[in-house]
Amino acid sequence: MSTLYIFGIGGTGSRVIRSLTMLLAAGVELKNCDRVVPIIIDPDATNGDKQRTIELLKTYQRLRSHIKPAAPGSSTAGQFFGADIQTLASLARPGEQRDARVKDTFEYSFSGMEEPLRDYLRYHSLPVESQYLVDLLFDPKSLDENLKVGFKGSPNVGSVVLNQLVDSPEFQFFGNEFRAGDRIFFISSIFGGTGAAGFPLLLKNLRDRDANLPHIELLNTAPIGALSLLPYFSLKSEDSSAIDSNTFITKTKAALAYYQHNLTGLNAMYYLGDQAQKQNDNHEGGISQQNNAHFIEVVGALAVLDFLDKPASIANEEHFYEFGLERDESDLRFEHFDRRQTLPLVGEALTRFHFFATWLQHHLGETMSATYATNLGLKNAWDRDPFYQDLRRFLFDYNSPDRQFISYTAWLRELRDNARRFRPFNLRDGYDPQNHWDSMNDLLEPDFDKAVAGKELKKKGLFGKSDVIDPQKIRVMLDKRLSQAVASDTASSPATALVRTFSEVMDEVVSGQQLI
Amino acid sequence: MSNILQLIDRGKPTLRGWQESDRITAGEAEKMQDPAGDNPRRTATAIPTPFGRMHLLETAFKFVRQQPQGNSLYHRLVSQCWDMLELLFYNKATDAYRLRFVPWAKQEQVDQLRQSPEPRIRLLGNTLRLYLNDPHFRDFDTLYLIFADSRDASGHETRQLLGGTSPFTLVFAHPAVPRLNMQRKGDGNGFYFDQQVVPLNQRSAEFQTYLFGLFEVYPELRQENFAQCIAQFLAATDKGRVQRLAELKPAAAVFEQPYEPLRDTLGNNVQVRGVTLSKLAEAQQKTSSDWFIRFNERVAQTGKVPLVLMPGLDLRRSDYFGGTAGTDQTVVQWGYENQSLEERRLETLGVQYPFLTVNDFLEDRLLEVPFAVNTERYYFGQVQPEPGARPEDRPLRFLLPIKRAWFAYFEPADLDKQLRLTLFDNHVQVRLAVPVSSGREVVYERSYYFRPGPGQGADAPVEAVRSDSPKTPYRGGRVSARLDVGVFPFYKFEGANARDNGPYYVQLADQNEGADLAQLRFYQGSQVLPALVPGGTRGVRTRQRMGRNPRGPASTYYEVVGTHFDYMEVSAPVSGYSAAPAATGLLVPRWHTVNPGAQRYTFAVDFGTTNTHVAYATGERPEPQPFRIANEREMEVVMLNRPLPANDFVLPKRYGSDSFGMMPLADTLRNREFVPAFIGIEGAESAFPIRTATCESPAFISEGNPLLFGSINIGFYLSRDGFLYNHPEDGRYRTNLKWDTEGSERAAGVERIRAYIRELLLLIKHKVALNEGDVRATQVVWSRPLSMKTVARRDFHDIWHQEFERVFGEEPGQRLADLSESWAPYLYLTDRHTDGGIVPSDRDNVVNIDIGGGTTDVLLLRGKKPEATFSFRFAGDVLWGDGAFGGARQQNGLLYYYVARTANKPVSQEAAAAREVVRAALESKAGSADVVSLLFNFDKQLEFSRELRSARQLRIVLLLHYAAVVYHVGQVCQARQVAVPRHLCFSGKGSTYLRMLDLDPHLNTLTEIGKLILEFAAGQPAPSDFRLTLVGQPKEATANGSVLWKLAGGDAAQAKAPAEFVLAGVLPADAPEGPPRAFTLAEAESDTIEDEVIANARRLVRFITHDSPEIRGLLDELNVEIDPDFVYSFLDGKLKDSLRAGLNSLRDNGTNADDRLPETLFFFPFRDALFQLGRELFKRYYASQSN
């Protein structure tokens, strides 16, 4: 039972994990890994990106808790919500006494974030020489501003504050749970504050023989990969903001130079960046820092999958990776992914999942009385059962609180509207942020033939009016498969049945066409 | 954009999906295009380590190496690093910012943090430890914190943390390092840490040499994990230099020679991973500047040569200091009153180096004096009226507003080149052009406004309007100072002759209001002359003579001994503002520089009881002349006030009271207490011979250690100074000095004579010097009275010798001689250069009778050989005084007569002033002799002689005086068995009455009478060609004779007076047996002797009044009318008392009973009796006529 620990550091970490979560929901296969433990490290407690990702992870986790795990030995590959995503706390083995301070959450809970760095460091209690050293190492603004909103793009501040993690019960617990065969992956940006600092810091600690951690010898030798995101968006410049995208490149260069000589013990380094296309609103953090999902984050999520694909022997090696598209265009579709590796990995899975969502969005209503629906008791359960509520939330932001739009649909919409634009599926125009839900309801293209961008299917029949992918046929398949599923595993929950059935049916639908 | 999701094109377009690539190196990263143009505005600390700032700077170096041009964050960071290294390199202990290096020992500090009970502090320790494992920090044991300590004007100490050492770039700066108020070295490239980009190649060559050398000598610096970024930068900047150095392979010891290690607070070298950081040794630091003062090379400089700066001076594009140009922010203040030159720091450079600014040389306020100043004799630079105005409308009435600091660099004569005063209606513009090393001049300029505001008195101070901005003018003010200064003498010697300089006497007349007096200080160069200590040879003595008084200026005198002085600093209390600091100004005499010539001068001083004469002659002009100060060149005292214009007045008038402007009484003060401007020329207040008198301060007697002028001086002004008679609190004239050394007031008397002689000798010395004679060859002869007692004579001798040595600076040797008063007139009479007309011959006997005020000296010659000399105290005073033996004053009959006759007589305007003096003298109860002396002095105006011609009943007194003298001479001839002389000669001031007695210019009647008396006394006939000679200028004869004697070689035989002969004065024996014997005082006091003396006196009186019909027949010729019986009987009744009183006075004056009589007793009966007779005759004949 090997585990992948993903440290998602800073806002970038959260955003990549969001995309990763979408891929996992779609059933993208994780190699060499049985479960994923995301640990989001972001001292900015109210960061919008982080909150959304955690909410997403929690929703995923709840959804998955309704789904019966696959029998040992059998793969869940291809199955929606197939990957096991767990909180760190949940790793506690039966009977194991867990430190009460280790909360059952995806995020590491920072302390002292209400203070300015000066107080955080207990500056006035420091030996005077070290006070002066602190003065030299940190600029006065960094020292005197509240840490709450992150590190203001100051990795040197982060490198100290984030180090509290290592002594924390959570990290001790992590070390304690760590087993041979487990892997570690860091997601961070190189140009920000938190991520840029946290990644090298944690890496150094993990590779430090003298680090005060359980299983340090395992940690010292575990395969560690990292995605270091180079700039891929720019911020609208505001003079008053500490985060100034004008410094992104500067910082990137500096960090890259630092990594070259000072970052040792990393087995797989994933470089990813893009020429800035779009200016995002500049927020120094907090709830308003909620950035639209970006294609790069999807690619970043793919790096995690790629790392898992590497053999365990990578632990003794040092590799560097870069990502290439088929073509350099600003409007990307599946066809821009390479056909050899990436497209097979994500194309069909996402399309299956997309059809799943499309069905539930546009076709469930008219088939509520169909056999499959009746078998699942959807008529009653759809609005009331927690599983369905979570599912609908995951897919359509059903019942999502204001601005916490975690859904797959929202994700697609954001990818489409960002730059580079990633539009694997055709969405209807006219998203209105002021009227999110209504807009969302209408966003997915109901016509399966027209769903996959660039791969729209030509209608058949006379006058071109017959669907190639015929919902009637899908309904038939659903009816049939669900009955089989219920029959074969009576112990399964309706949720398990639904997920498995749809996974199989959509696999059939998709693989039957030249969609990818 | 690229199909590779990457920010840089790494040349791998074929990658698809996640595919293996390779590490992005720092080099590649640097090529990353930044859409923001690599110009981030904020310091980015992107490197994820607590030491990110150090890394960042390393990154910056790499970046700037590739893009040398620019103003990006990186460029600024690099420039900041250069700033730090350069600051360290040039730092000196004396800089405005004193650098301090405090070690932060890695192991120790980290351990300390990690052992803290406070988790957060442990966290910091742990984190630092983690990152200090990074490769750069290996062997980096100590990080030095770099502090700059500075102190502001108020003394407040500021400590600024500037940065620290770094294993990446040697040093790095504090993230918010403050701009230092200290300029970078070099071409005015701004200030340290001012965020400007100053590339290395625009920095000082010295600094570059150090840096390049350091990286060559310490190869480890070039390693990747050390300061490789700088090494690469240097190679990129100047590859040639790096290569040359590599070939040269300088030894570390050679390289380090000009440097010295920086040391931390514990004294250890400041090292970065074993490489010591150094600074340029102070001795190596350049002190170049375009602004060094170009001082006069004759003015020795000891310390550093200061710069000449000022507000508004453009220091850009010049070598401000040490090769660095100033900036437009280099603002020099008007003044740095609280800092000495040495303490000052060059503005914006922060380097401690002396510099001057306007207030160092220019005063805040002008001192205004109440008259136009003498711009010829004092330095005032170039003085000009404002354009369009005439010089006479804009007189200069100010002292120099230059501060003495200027003299640390220049000589007085430089003022002519540097200083220009332009006089406007309401202000004076002062421009002082100070030359500097670049060949330029820095012009210090200030306008002094001198008109008080409306409603204020004319003397109200005008305050300076200070400025603290170069853009705002700094206006000078003005303080009224009613004072004048006189300097005596007004010349100096130079070179080897400078030893003959001084003493100088300076008079300060102060007529300000307020309690405090102005003061002078004297300077040579910038050195103040100290107060003279007892036994000292160089310094200043000061004596206040007159205090504040409503009658005239206060006076203070200064004696500058052992040196000349270059200038005086006048400090004047601000009137009515006693708390305010005194205002100061300078006075710089334009000394007449004297070049000693070869001309030898011989002076003779006849220091008489009543009058004193000084005569001189030179080899070129052997005729004796009276001492005079006759022209402007010879002026010995020069006042500050300007003389009246030439051509309009006679010289003394030009320098008289009208030239003192609003302070005319300073003229009186000069004449009374100091030295007259002119002597002996038309219009001068005095001429030799002068009345023998001192003028003394009331404190003279009591204060002791008198200062010439400060306490006492020659009373030149006596005959004009009527005022003083009635204001003894302002001083008094003291006469009868000569005999003051006898009796109880001996000490004071000696001091008076000493002062008198000192002043005379000074006048003599200065006259010689000013006429470019040979001061060192000047000879002085003083004449010595015979009748003076041995003690008194020794006093005189000592005084003359001591004062000569004091004034002329060496022992007198042959240059000072003394000659008997009896000889001197004879020598004059017989000199072929004079009009004496007596040709010595072996056949003719000659007698010269020199009648002074107190004594009569007689020289009797047998042929050319001196037969006898004798002296007696029977002279002018007997006629004009108030009796021989004290008593009431102003009892003299002749004086009474004159006063009674003229009291209500109208006099001419010219005479009125003279009469005022006489009236004052009378009112002050001055003695008759003093009043008469005044009358003789003003004889022309007041006609004393003329009035006495008509005093028929009184003139018998004059005749008896004459008769007594001649009778005694005749008796001496008889006693010495000398034939009656052919020549009966008279000299001495006292002899002038003979002309009053005989109105005939040839004195025929007196000749005849003299002949009769001589024959009667000697008992033998006179030569048929008997002649009476009265010297034309009788007073001058002695001095003139002395001069001639000295000029002729100073015959020692003559100097040594002939044996003194004292004839007792008793009745002559019919046939004398052998030489007459000498009596002791005890013998003289015997009744027998007394009787014989009285009898002898009576014999003469009887001869005149009754027995000589020839004489009686001649009386009318002399306008003498007598009642013979009355005269005879009156005198007869007084002779004995007179004799007794005389004998008593001998005793009183210290003659012991056993002592030989110092003089004949013959005159004792007459000395008081004649006075009594005069008084009685006045009463008898004239008293009723007067009111």
Side-chain angles (χ1 to χ4, degrees), chain B residues 1064-1119:
Chain B
V1066 297
L1067 276 172
D1070 291 337
E1073 299 164 6
R1077 57 184 275 261
F1079 293 93
T1080 63
L1081 177 58
E1083 288 168 332
E1085 284 175 329
S1086 72
D1087 286 350
T1088 321
I1089 298 297
E1090 280 189 19
D1091 288 349
E1092 285 203 42
V1093 168
I1094 298 298
N1096 194 25
R1098 205 180 275 139
R1099 180 176 177 244
L1100 170 65
V1101 175
R1102 187 82 191 172
F1103 180 71
I1104 304 291
T1105 56
H1106 293 86
D1107 296 349
S1108 173
E1110 294 93 335
I1111 288 178
R1112 291 192 60 185
L1114 290 170
L1115 289 181
D1116 199 47
E1117 297 289 314
L1118 300 177
N1119 197 25

Side-chain angles (χ1 to χ4, degrees), chain B residues 870-930:
Chain B
F870 49 96
S871 176
F872 42 83
R873 278 197 247 185
F874 183 80
D877 286 355
V878 173
L879 286 174
W880 311 114
D882 291 314
F885 313 113
R889 295 176 163 222
Q890 296 184 2
Q891 299 296 312
N892 189 285
L894 294 163
L895 179 60
Y896 258 86
Y897 174 83
Y898 171 80
V899 172
R901 297 264 300 179
T902 60
N904 297 317
K905 201 171 173 178
V907 291
S908 68
Q909 199 175 349
E910 188 191 358
R915 181 139 93 182
E916 274 312 300
V917 176
V918 174
R919 187 197 302 277
L922 285 168
E923 284 173 0
S924 74
K925 300 290 177 210
S928 296
D930 287 341

Side-chain angles (χ1 to χ4, degrees), chain B residues 334-352:
Chain B
W334 293 93
Y336 296 82
E337 276 77 7
N338 298 325
Q339 291 178 318
S340 71
L341 289 190
E342 286 67 29
E343 287 171 332
R344 291 179 193 176
R345 291 174 194 291
L346 292 167
E347 294 286 356
T348 65
L349 287 181
V351 173
Q352 195 166 41

Side-chain angles (χ1 to χ4, degrees), chain B residues 455-593:
Chain B
Q456 293 186 290
D459 284 344
V462 179
E463 285 305 324
V465 182
R466 296 178 145 255
S467 161
D468 50 12
S469 153
K471 297 196 174 78
T472 314
Y474 190 115
R475 281 169 53 139
R478 169 286 236 160
V479 166
S480 172
R482 303 171 72 82
L483 53 83
D484 200 355
V485 169
V487 178
F488 167 80
F490 207 82
Y491 70 87
K492 68 167 181 172
F493 293 106
E494 287 191 336
N497 298 301
R499 64 188 170 157
D500 287 334
N501 280 331
Y504 291 88
Y505 294 90
V506 178
Q507 181 198 48
L508 172 63
D510 178 356
Q511 208 169 356
N512 291 303
E513 290 169 357
D516 298 330
L517 292 180
Q519 291 182 328
L520 296 181
R521 283 197 289 181
F522 297 84
Y523 291 86
Q524 207 173 26
S526 51
Q527 297 294 309
V528 68
L529 295 177
L532 188 69
V533 294
T537 56
R538 185 172 177 276
V540 181
R541 289 177 70 200
T542 307
R543 185 70 47 88
Q544 183 191 330
R545 180 157 171 174
M546 278 298 300
R548 277 262 183 274
N549 70 86
R551 301 172 300 279
S555 63
T556 307
Y557 292 85
Y558 300 85
E559 182 186 41
V560 179
V561 178
T563 176
H564 83 290
F565 57 91
D566 288 328
Y567 58 96
M568 298 169 260
E569 185 182 64
V570 181
S571 121
V574 179
S575 163
Y577 293 77
S578 57
T584 52
L586 295 188
L587 272 180
V588 190
R590 191 186 293 273
W591 296 115
H592 175 48
T593 301

Side-chain angles (χ1 to χ4, degrees), chain B residues 57 101 164 183 271 300 313 397 483 533 538 560-561 578 587 596 606 656 748 837 910 951 968 1010-1011 1083 1137 1151:
Chain B
L57 183 53
F101 302 90
Q183 257 185 271
Q271 293 188 327
L313 190 65
R397 296 187 316 252
L483 53 83
V533 294
R538 185 172 177 276
V560 179
V561 178
S578 57
L587 272 180
D606 174 18
E910 188 191 358
H968 182 65
K1011 189 180 167 190
E1083 288 168 332
D1137 288 344
T1151 307

Side-chain angles (χ1 to χ4, degrees), chain B residues 36-49:
Chain B
D38 278 318
N39 191 19
R41 280 162 296 173
R42 298 171 58 87
T43 303
T45 43
I47 300 160
T49 133

